[in-house]
């Protein structure tokens, strides 16, 4: 028993001394593609079920539902003012990767429906599966020091600066955005949108905690 305890302490000590490893450009490129693909798939499920979500993506959805304007174009435009904050607070590397992710999602969200057609979907499944996919996509991007811009930039900076939980911060912002969508949605879709936001932020809060991931 004492041997196993010593082994456990040795492993813990080794983990505690891990040196952060820098991601290669190839690492970052695959993460941006993978993360944005997860998010795009989740958004496709949301759109098919007529659901909302939070963050800058939710604001783009809100504008899309209210005006009929293309989601990708609205999402791209809403992100433009936040790049200055990203550049000043998070650095050039983070900003450039975020710009790449935003551009890829803006284009991908327009092309994906032509590559994948969802004829019918259970709205509860769309809320849960879509929320988890979007949350997983955010985790992939966050771990490679990238985001989907907008409010993610603010959330990422607050976590880096003060150690506040990105998931909890995002959940509070998402709640406000969902409340703003009330005039455009019936009670059922609003309830399912809240479920989707909870699933998304659950994935984010569990898998992206300060100090858990050592690469950069």
């Amino acid at each position: 028993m004492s041997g196993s305890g010593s082994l456990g302490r040795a492993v813990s000590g080794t983990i505690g001394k891990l040196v952060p490893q820098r991601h290669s450009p190839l690492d970052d490129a695959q993460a941006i593609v993978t993360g944005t693909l997860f998010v795009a798939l989740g958004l496709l499920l949301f759109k098919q079920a007529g659901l909302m979500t939070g963050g800058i993506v939710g604001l783009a959805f809100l504008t899309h539902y209210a005006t009929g304007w293309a989601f990708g174009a609205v999402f791209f435009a809403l992100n433009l003012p936040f790049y200055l904050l990203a550049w000043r607070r998070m650095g050039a590397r983070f900003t450039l990767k975020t710009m790449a992710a935003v551009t890829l999602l803006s284009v991908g969200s327009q092309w994906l429906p032509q590559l994948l057609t969802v004829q019918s979907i259970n709205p509860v499944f769309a809320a849960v599966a879509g929320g988890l996919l979007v949350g997983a996509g955010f985790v992939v991007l966050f771990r490679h020091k990238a985001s989907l811009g907008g409010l993610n930039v603010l959330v990422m900076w607050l976590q880096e600066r003060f150690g506040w939980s990105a998931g909890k911060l995002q959940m509070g912002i998402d709640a406000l955005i969902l409340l703003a969508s009330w005039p455009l949605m019936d009670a059922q879709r609003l309830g399912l949108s809240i479920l989707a936001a909870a699933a998304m932020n659950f994935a984010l809060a569990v898998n992206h905690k300060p100090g858990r991931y050592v690469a950069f």
Side-chain angles (χ1 to χ4, degrees):
M1 293 297 291
S2 60
S4 61
S6 299
L7 178 61
R9 288 191 295 272
V11 171
S12 298
T14 300
I15 294 174
K17 296 178 182 178
L18 286 177
V19 177
Q21 301 295 312
R22 180 178 291 273
H23 290 122
S24 70
L26 180 60
D27 293 338
D28 289 336
Q30 68 80 28
I32 290 172
V33 172
T34 302
T36 53
L37 178 59
F38 280 8
V39 174
L41 287 170
L43 297 183
L44 182 66
L45 300 184
F46 288 165
K47 189 173 182 180
Q48 179 66 27
L51 305 181
M52 267 287 296
T53 185
I56 199 72
V57 175
L59 290 177
F61 256 132
L62 190 61
T63 305
H64 167 71
Y65 287 144
T67 65
W69 297 345
F71 168 84
V74 173
F75 176 69
F76 185 84
L78 287 176
N79 271 293
L80 294 176
F82 288 94
Y83 290 137
L84 181 60
L85 171 64
W87 190 279
R88 289 181 173 178
R89 298 297 185 181
M90 305 297 289
R93 196 161 175 255
F94 172 87
T95 305
L96 293 174
K97 287 190 286 187
T98 294
M99 291 174 68
V102 168
T103 303
L104 187 58
L105 183 61
S106 298
V107 175
S109 64
Q110 299 302 118
W111 281 95
L112 190 59
Q114 300 180 38
L115 302 174
L116 177 63
T117 301
V118 180
Q119 295 183 344
S120 64
I121 187 170
N122 181 286
V124 176
F125 175 81
V128 175
L132 292 176
L133 281 169
V134 173
F138 281 158
V139 170
V140 172
L141 293 171
F142 286 178
R143 288 188 171 183
H144 285 258
K145 298 301 181 183
S147 76
L148 285 175
L151 299 173
N152 286 159
V153 173
L154 179 61
V155 167
M156 282 283 289
W157 177 73
L158 289 173
Q159 176 163 294
E160 293 284 340
R161 179 67 176 81
F162 300 107
W164 298 347
S165 169
K168 293 178 181 178
L169 286 170
Q170 192 72 53
M171 188 174 294
I173 293 172
D174 290 348
L176 295 176
I177 293 173
L178 287 172
L179 286 175
S181 70
W182 172 258
L184 300 175
M185 310 185 76
D186 56 43
Q188 180 181 9
R189 285 194 297 155
L190 181 59
L192 289 173
S193 296
I194 293 173
L195 176 62
M200 179 183 70
N201 285 288
F202 173 78
L204 184 58
V206 169
N207 293 287
H208 190 68
K209 296 180 180 179
R212 171 167 287 183
Y213 191 62
V214 297
F216 64 100

